[in-house]
Amino acid sequence: MKTLPLLSTIGLTLLSSAALANDYANEEANGKEKKKPDQSVNVTPKSASTDNTDNKIEKIRVVGSKDSGLELSSDKILKVPGAGNDPIRAIESLPGIVLARGFAPAVRGSSPEDMYYQSDDVPVGNVFHIDSFSTFHPNLIRSFELKTGAWEAEFNDAIGGVIDTRLKDPEIVDPTAIVDFSFLRTGVLFESKINENSAFYFAMRQSLVHLYIEEILDDEEQFQFDQAPINNDYQFKYVNYIDADNKLTVQATGSNDEVALLFDDDSDEVLQNPDLQGGIGVDQYYHNQSIIWTNYSNWGETKVIANRLERSGDIVIGQLLDLDAKTTDYMFKVKNNQDWGNGVISSGVELRSQTVDYAVTGKQQPCNNEFEVCPPSYYADTEFESDEIDINFYNLFADYDWDLNADWSARVGAVYSYNDYTEETFVEPRVTLRWQVTDEYRLKVAAGQHHQWFRQYKYLSSKFGAPDLKLSQSNHYVLGIEYVGESDYAWRLETYYKDMDDLVVSNPLLQVNDLTSSPSNSEGANYLNEGVGDAYGVEFLINKAISNDWYGWLSVAYSKTERVNNLTGEEFRYQYDLPWIVNLVSNYEINERWQIGGRWRLQSGSLYTPIISADPVYPLDQSGNPDAEQEPIFYDPVEAAFNSDRLEYFHRLDIRLDYQTTLWNKETNIYFEVLNLYGQKSVEGYEYNADYSEKEKEYQFPETPIPSIGIQIIF
């Protein structure tokens, strides 16, 4: 069977296996806005203006090096080739970022589920749609910062990384609208003042691929859409400048995704796993509303935040899983930044209440596919559970960032966390020390302890999970040097080490490995905190600010990531271990109307577990023994060592051409992109027939050059 290339684009590859059961993330945490702008390395052209009163996208290109990560902002990320006019997708161009399933970032040896996302001081339900596009209108994104290790104390629920997105505030301007249209999605952004002290904007986007995807499907595909992939998102923000010292912000964001596939009964997917009969599908949404009061006084800046976040995830995977879950969070948070002595102290308190309401019917086959190849679900019994779980979280945090003397500065912080579900208490220190070696070079060393809440509903389940699990923890260590001179060039060299403890692994004694057996220990826990891991590497980033009409950056990363299952003693490379990743991005402004750019990426091939043979699984006769005279139900593959082989190197070049003009007397930007310009065919895996006797290479999308075009009009 041929692989449908477009499936990679719309994210449906994440639906193509039972591993999806492990992907309904329950991401919770808090974020923090950048605290000391003078501590960042902003490479800004001397001739550029920050005046944005003409309501145009500002033209400053910035790559900033933060104490805990990297920050990108402005027009630079909006026009990264291959990102489809989507700024957050440009994250792939930063050092060492691995995109799982084509869109979910994995940072420094952690899972994509170990990430936390926030926008404007509140958590975000979903940052990416399942077609890989982000859930924010591109013209609203002021900046986003990727925090990669030993970040500030306020971020207290992630061991992988943090993406902190900042959306623009509404401007006191006359009504303005921006309309976007491409073959993949359309959107509108409306912004207007209400009076001289208040303004608002509202943005909404709708995907379009559902209108024509069935027309371009290969006739050989062994499935059909029960629901063609469709998604939408919205953002609303209202700002009232009450007086010189007080500001009120009301904001709301949300997104929705739906897709469902029906497999033919004789498709390879169903023949390999009969539990997939009936198809697979996802229906998920989130809605987030918050009120933020900001006050400026002798006590500095104080924010009082009230937030409600509702997320729903309905997932169906044939007979394997039918999950209907909704999580509702209420958060109250107070944070304060104020000058104190030679620095700034940031502190706050957060109270959060979470209700998880779910009903699930699924196979009782515990497995974490980050540590093993899951046994066939067909062997296990089907169970049902319905429950409502209430959890309360309490967090106190503080950071002090100050100048020790003319050459040395430091940030010292800690977070206190407690939840009444696991009843664990965490007191986690964070420390950063900076030495200004010369006027142009700065050395940094940082360390921090981190933990995170469970990312999967099943771990909270008394029937499918393990209520006695502890939270996973990690220690981060960072050493770096950066050039912060007056040149158009800036660079950063950083090395890191991260260890992870109390990772969740499945209990092999509760797994069923054939039709005639049962769990060895039915009284044990489905999952245990018996996984550990480490990751280390070095990252180099050099950025050129715009001068002589061009800008760009080069990033090179080398890393190694390992896991150990203490239950089985297995040691192996982690599935997102890609030793080498290189990105080269450059844009050239031909003149005031035309701009051209390119992005080239090289990375090591992904790890995979080879299949060396397969055993037929026969129906049982009346005596309960396999009946070899009948046709096999399916074939159970026999694998080599877990993650023991690696695919070939991946590389690709994308280009983009922008043309600034006017249509109907309105400012217009027309952009043209070509993905995979030189048609590189990069293997992303293998597809086997029903008995695993034959295999075909599957290639990453696109296998050939793919052009696309989009248009944006400002009314």
Short mmCIF file of all heavy atoms in Angstrom, two decimals, residues 274-320:
data_model
loop_
_atom_site.label_atom_id
_atom_site.label_comp_id
_atom_site.label_asym_id
_atom_site.label_seq_id
_atom_site.Cartn_x
_atom_site.Cartn_y
_atom_site.Cartn_z
N PRO A 274 -6.24 -6.34 14.44
CA PRO A 274 -7.70 -6.40 14.29
C PRO A 274 -8.44 -5.40 15.17
O PRO A 274 -9.58 -5.05 14.89
CB PRO A 274 -8.02 -7.84 14.72
CG PRO A 274 -6.77 -8.61 14.46
CD PRO A 274 -5.66 -7.66 14.75
N ASP A 275 -7.79 -4.90 16.23
CA ASP A 275 -8.43 -3.91 17.10
C ASP A 275 -8.65 -2.58 16.40
O ASP A 275 -9.37 -1.71 16.92
CB ASP A 275 -7.59 -3.69 18.36
CG ASP A 275 -7.83 -4.76 19.40
OD1 ASP A 275 -8.87 -5.44 19.29
OD2 ASP A 275 -7.01 -4.91 20.31
N LEU A 276 -8.04 -2.37 15.23
CA LEU A 276 -8.24 -1.12 14.50
C LEU A 276 -9.49 -1.16 13.63
O LEU A 276 -9.82 -0.15 12.99
CB LEU A 276 -7.03 -0.80 13.63
CG LEU A 276 -5.73 -0.42 14.37
CD1 LEU A 276 -4.62 -0.13 13.38
CD2 LEU A 276 -5.97 0.77 15.28
N GLN A 277 -10.16 -2.27 13.60
CA GLN A 277 -11.38 -2.37 12.78
C GLN A 277 -12.40 -1.35 13.27
O GLN A 277 -12.68 -1.22 14.45
CB GLN A 277 -11.96 -3.78 12.89
CG GLN A 277 -13.09 -4.05 11.91
CD GLN A 277 -13.48 -5.52 11.89
OE1 GLN A 277 -13.18 -6.26 12.83
NE2 GLN A 277 -14.13 -5.96 10.83
N GLY A 278 -12.94 -0.61 12.35
CA GLY A 278 -13.87 0.45 12.69
C GLY A 278 -13.28 1.83 12.55
O GLY A 278 -14.01 2.82 12.47
N GLY A 279 -11.94 1.93 12.52
CA GLY A 279 -11.33 3.22 12.26
C GLY A 279 -10.85 3.93 13.51
O GLY A 279 -10.97 3.44 14.64
N ILE A 280 -10.29 5.10 13.30
CA ILE A 280 -9.72 5.92 14.36
C ILE A 280 -10.15 7.36 14.17
O ILE A 280 -10.44 7.79 13.05
CB ILE A 280 -8.18 5.82 14.39
CG1 ILE A 280 -7.60 6.13 13.01
CG2 ILE A 280 -7.73 4.45 14.84
CD1 ILE A 280 -6.10 6.02 12.94
N GLY A 281 -10.20 8.12 15.25
CA GLY A 281 -10.63 9.50 15.13
C GLY A 281 -10.31 10.31 16.37
O GLY A 281 -10.12 9.78 17.47
N VAL A 282 -10.26 11.62 16.19
CA VAL A 282 -10.00 12.58 17.27
C VAL A 282 -10.97 13.74 17.14
O VAL A 282 -11.20 14.26 16.04
CB VAL A 282 -8.55 13.11 17.23
CG1 VAL A 282 -8.37 14.24 18.22
CG2 VAL A 282 -7.56 12.00 17.51
N ASP A 283 -11.53 14.15 18.27
CA ASP A 283 -12.36 15.36 18.35
C ASP A 283 -11.95 16.07 19.63
O ASP A 283 -12.26 15.62 20.73
CB ASP A 283 -13.84 14.99 18.38
CG ASP A 283 -14.74 16.23 18.37
OD1 ASP A 283 -14.21 17.36 18.42
OD2 ASP A 283 -15.98 16.06 18.33
N GLN A 284 -11.20 17.17 19.49
CA GLN A 284 -10.67 17.85 20.66
C GLN A 284 -10.86 19.36 20.54
O GLN A 284 -10.89 19.91 19.45
CB GLN A 284 -9.19 17.53 20.86
CG GLN A 284 -8.29 18.03 19.73
CD GLN A 284 -6.84 17.64 19.93
OE1 GLN A 284 -6.52 16.63 20.55
NE2 GLN A 284 -5.93 18.45 19.39
N TYR A 285 -10.98 20.02 21.71
CA TYR A 285 -11.10 21.47 21.72
C TYR A 285 -10.56 22.00 23.04
O TYR A 285 -10.38 21.26 24.01
CB TYR A 285 -12.55 21.92 21.53
CG TYR A 285 -13.47 21.63 22.69
CD1 TYR A 285 -13.48 22.43 23.84
CD2 TYR A 285 -14.35 20.55 22.65
CE1 TYR A 285 -14.32 22.17 24.90
CE2 TYR A 285 -15.20 20.28 23.71
CZ TYR A 285 -15.18 21.10 24.84
OH TYR A 285 -16.01 20.82 25.90
N TYR A 286 -10.30 23.30 23.07
CA TYR A 286 -10.05 23.98 24.34
C TYR A 286 -10.62 25.39 24.26
O TYR A 286 -10.70 25.99 23.18
CB TYR A 286 -8.55 24.01 24.68
CG TYR A 286 -7.78 25.21 24.15
CD1 TYR A 286 -7.70 26.39 24.88
CD2 TYR A 286 -7.12 25.17 22.92
CE1 TYR A 286 -6.99 27.49 24.41
CE2 TYR A 286 -6.41 26.25 22.45
CZ TYR A 286 -6.35 27.42 23.19
OH TYR A 286 -5.66 28.50 22.71
N HIS A 287 -11.05 25.90 25.41
CA HIS A 287 -11.53 27.28 25.56
C HIS A 287 -10.90 27.86 26.82
O HIS A 287 -10.95 27.24 27.89
CB HIS A 287 -13.06 27.33 25.65
CG HIS A 287 -13.76 26.78 24.45
ND1 HIS A 287 -13.70 27.37 23.21
CD2 HIS A 287 -14.53 25.67 24.31
CE1 HIS A 287 -14.40 26.65 22.35
NE2 HIS A 287 -14.91 25.62 22.99
N ASN A 288 -10.32 29.03 26.67
CA ASN A 288 -9.59 29.65 27.77
C ASN A 288 -10.05 31.09 27.92
O ASN A 288 -10.09 31.85 26.94
CB ASN A 288 -8.08 29.61 27.46
CG ASN A 288 -7.24 29.95 28.67
OD1 ASN A 288 -7.75 30.08 29.77
ND2 ASN A 288 -5.94 30.09 28.45
N GLN A 289 -10.43 31.48 29.14
CA GLN A 289 -10.84 32.85 29.41
C GLN A 289 -10.09 33.35 30.64
O GLN A 289 -9.92 32.61 31.61
CB GLN A 289 -12.35 32.95 29.67
CG GLN A 289 -13.23 32.29 28.62
CD GLN A 289 -13.55 30.85 28.95
OE1 GLN A 289 -13.65 30.47 30.11
NE2 GLN A 289 -13.72 30.02 27.92
N SER A 290 -9.66 34.60 30.59
CA SER A 290 -8.92 35.15 31.73
C SER A 290 -9.17 36.64 31.86
O SER A 290 -9.47 37.34 30.89
CB SER A 290 -7.42 34.87 31.59
OG SER A 290 -6.92 35.42 30.39
N ILE A 291 -9.04 37.11 33.10
CA ILE A 291 -9.09 38.54 33.44
C ILE A 291 -7.80 38.86 34.18
O ILE A 291 -7.43 38.17 35.14
CB ILE A 291 -10.31 38.87 34.31
CG1 ILE A 291 -11.60 38.53 33.58
CG2 ILE A 291 -10.29 40.34 34.72
CD1 ILE A 291 -12.85 38.75 34.43
N ILE A 292 -7.10 39.89 33.72
CA ILE A 292 -5.82 40.27 34.31
C ILE A 292 -5.86 41.75 34.68
O ILE A 292 -6.11 42.61 33.82
CB ILE A 292 -4.66 40.01 33.34
CG1 ILE A 292 -4.64 38.54 32.91
CG2 ILE A 292 -3.32 40.40 33.98
CD1 ILE A 292 -3.60 38.23 31.85
N TRP A 293 -5.63 42.03 35.93
CA TRP A 293 -5.50 43.42 36.39
C TRP A 293 -4.03 43.69 36.66
O TRP A 293 -3.39 42.98 37.44
CB TRP A 293 -6.33 43.64 37.66
CG TRP A 293 -6.10 44.99 38.30
CD1 TRP A 293 -6.13 46.21 37.69
CD2 TRP A 293 -5.75 45.22 39.67
NE1 TRP A 293 -5.85 47.20 38.60
CE2 TRP A 293 -5.62 46.63 39.82
CE3 TRP A 293 -5.57 44.39 40.77
CZ2 TRP A 293 -5.29 47.21 41.05
CZ3 TRP A 293 -5.25 44.97 42.00
CH2 TRP A 293 -5.11 46.36 42.13
N THR A 294 -3.49 44.72 36.02
CA THR A 294 -2.09 45.10 36.18
C THR A 294 -2.02 46.44 36.88
O THR A 294 -2.66 47.41 36.45
CB THR A 294 -1.38 45.18 34.82
OG1 THR A 294 -1.55 43.95 34.11
CG2 THR A 294 0.11 45.45 35.01
N ASN A 295 -1.23 46.49 37.95
CA ASN A 295 -1.10 47.73 38.73
C ASN A 295 0.38 48.09 38.86
O ASN A 295 1.24 47.23 39.07
CB ASN A 295 -1.71 47.53 40.13
CG ASN A 295 -1.42 48.71 41.06
OD1 ASN A 295 -0.52 48.64 41.89
ND2 ASN A 295 -2.17 49.79 40.88
N TYR A 296 0.68 49.38 38.71
CA TYR A 296 2.02 49.90 38.88
C TYR A 296 2.03 50.83 40.09
O TYR A 296 1.22 51.78 40.16
CB TYR A 296 2.48 50.65 37.63
CG TYR A 296 2.43 49.80 36.37
CD1 TYR A 296 1.31 49.81 35.56
CD2 TYR A 296 3.51 48.98 36.02
CE1 TYR A 296 1.26 49.02 34.41
CE2 TYR A 296 3.47 48.20 34.88
CZ TYR A 296 2.34 48.22 34.08
OH TYR A 296 2.28 47.44 32.96
N SER A 297 2.92 50.56 41.02
CA SER A 297 2.97 51.35 42.25
C SER A 297 4.40 51.36 42.78
O SER A 297 5.34 50.93 42.10
CB SER A 297 2.03 50.75 43.30
OG SER A 297 2.51 49.47 43.71
N ASN A 298 4.55 51.85 44.01
CA ASN A 298 5.87 51.82 44.64
C ASN A 298 6.35 50.40 44.89
O ASN A 298 7.53 50.18 45.17
CB ASN A 298 5.83 52.60 45.96
CG ASN A 298 5.61 54.09 45.74
OD1 ASN A 298 5.97 54.62 44.69
ND2 ASN A 298 5.01 54.75 46.72
N TRP A 299 5.43 49.45 44.79
CA TRP A 299 5.76 48.05 44.96
C TRP A 299 6.09 47.37 43.62
O TRP A 299 6.21 46.15 43.55
CB TRP A 299 4.62 47.30 45.63
CG TRP A 299 4.37 47.76 47.03
CD1 TRP A 299 3.47 48.70 47.45
CD2 TRP A 299 5.04 47.31 48.21
NE1 TRP A 299 3.53 48.87 48.80
CE2 TRP A 299 4.49 48.02 49.30
CE3 TRP A 299 6.05 46.37 48.46
CZ2 TRP A 299 4.92 47.83 50.62
CZ3 TRP A 299 6.48 46.17 49.77
CH2 TRP A 299 5.93 46.89 50.83
N GLY A 300 6.23 48.17 42.58
CA GLY A 300 6.55 47.63 41.28
C GLY A 300 5.31 47.26 40.49
O GLY A 300 4.24 47.85 40.64
N GLU A 301 5.45 46.25 39.62
CA GLU A 301 4.34 45.79 38.79
C GLU A 301 3.69 44.58 39.45
O GLU A 301 4.35 43.59 39.76
CB GLU A 301 4.84 45.40 37.40
CG GLU A 301 3.74 44.87 36.49
CD GLU A 301 4.27 44.22 35.23
OE1 GLU A 301 4.80 43.09 35.33
OE2 GLU A 301 4.17 44.84 34.15
N THR A 302 2.38 44.66 39.64
CA THR A 302 1.63 43.56 40.23
C THR A 302 0.53 43.14 39.27
O THR A 302 -0.20 43.98 38.75
CB THR A 302 1.00 43.97 41.57
OG1 THR A 302 2.04 44.40 42.46
CG2 THR A 302 0.25 42.80 42.20
N LYS A 303 0.42 41.84 39.05
CA LYS A 303 -0.65 41.29 38.22
C LYS A 303 -1.51 40.35 39.05
O LYS A 303 -0.99 39.48 39.75
CB LYS A 303 -0.07 40.53 37.02
CG LYS A 303 0.54 41.42 35.96
CD LYS A 303 0.93 40.61 34.72
CE LYS A 303 1.47 41.51 33.63
NZ LYS A 303 1.79 40.74 32.39
N VAL A 304 -2.80 40.54 38.95
CA VAL A 304 -3.77 39.65 39.56
C VAL A 304 -4.51 38.95 38.43
O VAL A 304 -5.14 39.61 37.59
CB VAL A 304 -4.75 40.40 40.47
CG1 VAL A 304 -5.75 39.43 41.10
CG2 VAL A 304 -3.99 41.16 41.56
N ILE A 305 -4.45 37.62 38.39
CA ILE A 305 -4.92 36.85 37.23
C ILE A 305 -5.96 35.83 37.68
O ILE A 305 -5.73 35.07 38.63
CB ILE A 305 -3.76 36.12 36.54
CG1 ILE A 305 -2.67 37.11 36.13
CG2 ILE A 305 -4.25 35.31 35.34
CD1 ILE A 305 -1.37 36.46 35.69
N ALA A 306 -7.10 35.82 37.02
CA ALA A 306 -8.10 34.78 37.19
C ALA A 306 -8.32 34.11 35.84
O ALA A 306 -8.56 34.80 34.84
CB ALA A 306 -9.41 35.36 37.72
N ASN A 307 -8.24 32.79 35.80
CA ASN A 307 -8.27 32.09 34.52
C ASN A 307 -9.11 30.82 34.62
O ASN A 307 -9.11 30.13 35.64
CB ASN A 307 -6.85 31.71 34.08
CG ASN A 307 -6.82 31.06 32.72
OD1 ASN A 307 -7.00 31.71 31.70
ND2 ASN A 307 -6.59 29.76 32.69
N ARG A 308 -9.83 30.54 33.53
CA ARG A 308 -10.56 29.28 33.40
C ARG A 308 -10.14 28.62 32.09
O ARG A 308 -10.17 29.26 31.03
CB ARG A 308 -12.07 29.50 33.39
CG ARG A 308 -12.88 28.20 33.21
CD ARG A 308 -14.37 28.49 33.11
NE ARG A 308 -15.15 27.26 33.02
CZ ARG A 308 -15.40 26.60 31.90
NH1 ARG A 308 -14.93 27.05 30.73
NH2 ARG A 308 -16.13 25.49 31.90
N LEU A 309 -9.77 27.35 32.16
CA LEU A 309 -9.33 26.60 30.98
C LEU A 309 -10.11 25.29 30.93
O LEU A 309 -10.06 24.49 31.87
CB LEU A 309 -7.83 26.31 31.04
CG LEU A 309 -7.25 25.39 29.96
CD1 LEU A 309 -7.45 25.96 28.58
CD2 LEU A 309 -5.78 25.09 30.23
N GLU A 310 -10.82 25.09 29.82
CA GLU A 310 -11.56 23.84 29.61
C GLU A 310 -11.01 23.14 28.38
O GLU A 310 -10.87 23.75 27.32
CB GLU A 310 -13.04 24.12 29.43
CG GLU A 310 -13.87 22.87 29.14
CD GLU A 310 -15.33 23.18 28.88
OE1 GLU A 310 -15.90 23.99 29.65
OE2 GLU A 310 -15.91 22.64 27.91
N ARG A 311 -10.71 21.86 28.55
CA ARG A 311 -10.19 21.06 27.44
C ARG A 311 -10.97 19.77 27.34
O ARG A 311 -11.31 19.16 28.35
CB ARG A 311 -8.71 20.73 27.65
CG ARG A 311 -7.78 21.92 27.48
CD ARG A 311 -6.43 21.64 28.06
NE ARG A 311 -6.54 21.45 29.51
CZ ARG A 311 -5.71 20.67 30.19
NH1 ARG A 311 -4.77 19.99 29.58
NH2 ARG A 311 -5.85 20.56 31.50
N SER A 312 -11.26 19.39 26.11
CA SER A 312 -11.98 18.15 25.88
C SER A 312 -11.25 17.34 24.82
O SER A 312 -10.78 17.90 23.82
CB SER A 312 -13.41 18.43 25.42
OG SER A 312 -14.09 17.23 25.11
N GLY A 313 -11.15 16.03 25.06
CA GLY A 313 -10.49 15.17 24.09
C GLY A 313 -11.22 13.86 23.93
O GLY A 313 -11.24 13.04 24.85
N ASP A 314 -11.88 13.68 22.81
CA ASP A 314 -12.53 12.42 22.49
C ASP A 314 -11.66 11.68 21.49
O ASP A 314 -11.40 12.19 20.39
CB ASP A 314 -13.93 12.65 21.90
CG ASP A 314 -14.86 13.33 22.89
OD1 ASP A 314 -14.53 13.35 24.08
OD2 ASP A 314 -15.91 13.85 22.45
N ILE A 315 -11.24 10.48 21.84
CA ILE A 315 -10.35 9.69 20.99
C ILE A 315 -10.94 8.30 20.83
O ILE A 315 -11.32 7.66 21.80
CB ILE A 315 -8.94 9.58 21.59
CG1 ILE A 315 -8.32 10.97 21.77
CG2 ILE A 315 -8.04 8.72 20.72
CD1 ILE A 315 -6.96 10.94 22.45
N VAL A 316 -11.02 7.85 19.57
CA VAL A 316 -11.49 6.50 19.28
C VAL A 316 -10.42 5.81 18.44
O VAL A 316 -9.99 6.35 17.41
CB VAL A 316 -12.83 6.51 18.52
CG1 VAL A 316 -13.23 5.09 18.12
CG2 VAL A 316 -13.92 7.15 19.37
N ILE A 317 -9.98 4.63 18.87
CA ILE A 317 -9.03 3.82 18.11
C ILE A 317 -9.63 2.43 18.00
O ILE A 317 -9.36 1.55 18.82
CB ILE A 317 -7.65 3.77 18.77
CG1 ILE A 317 -7.12 5.17 19.06
CG2 ILE A 317 -6.66 3.02 17.87
CD1 ILE A 317 -5.79 5.19 19.76
N GLY A 318 -10.46 2.23 17.00
CA GLY A 318 -11.10 0.93 16.77
C GLY A 318 -11.68 0.36 18.04
O GLY A 318 -12.46 1.00 18.75
N GLN A 319 -11.29 -0.90 18.34
CA GLN A 319 -11.71 -1.57 19.56
C GLN A 319 -10.70 -1.38 20.69
O GLN A 319 -10.92 -1.85 21.81
CB GLN A 319 -11.87 -3.07 19.30
CG GLN A 319 -12.64 -3.41 18.04
CD GLN A 319 -14.00 -2.77 18.01
OE1 GLN A 319 -14.75 -2.88 18.97
NE2 GLN A 319 -14.33 -2.11 16.91
N LEU A 320 -9.62 -0.66 20.41
CA LEU A 320 -8.55 -0.51 21.39
C LEU A 320 -8.89 0.52 22.45
O LEU A 320 -8.64 0.33 23.65
CB LEU A 320 -7.26 -0.11 20.67
CG LEU A 320 -6.06 0.29 21.54
CD1 LEU A 320 -5.61 -0.87 22.38
CD2 LEU A 320 -4.92 0.78 20.65
#
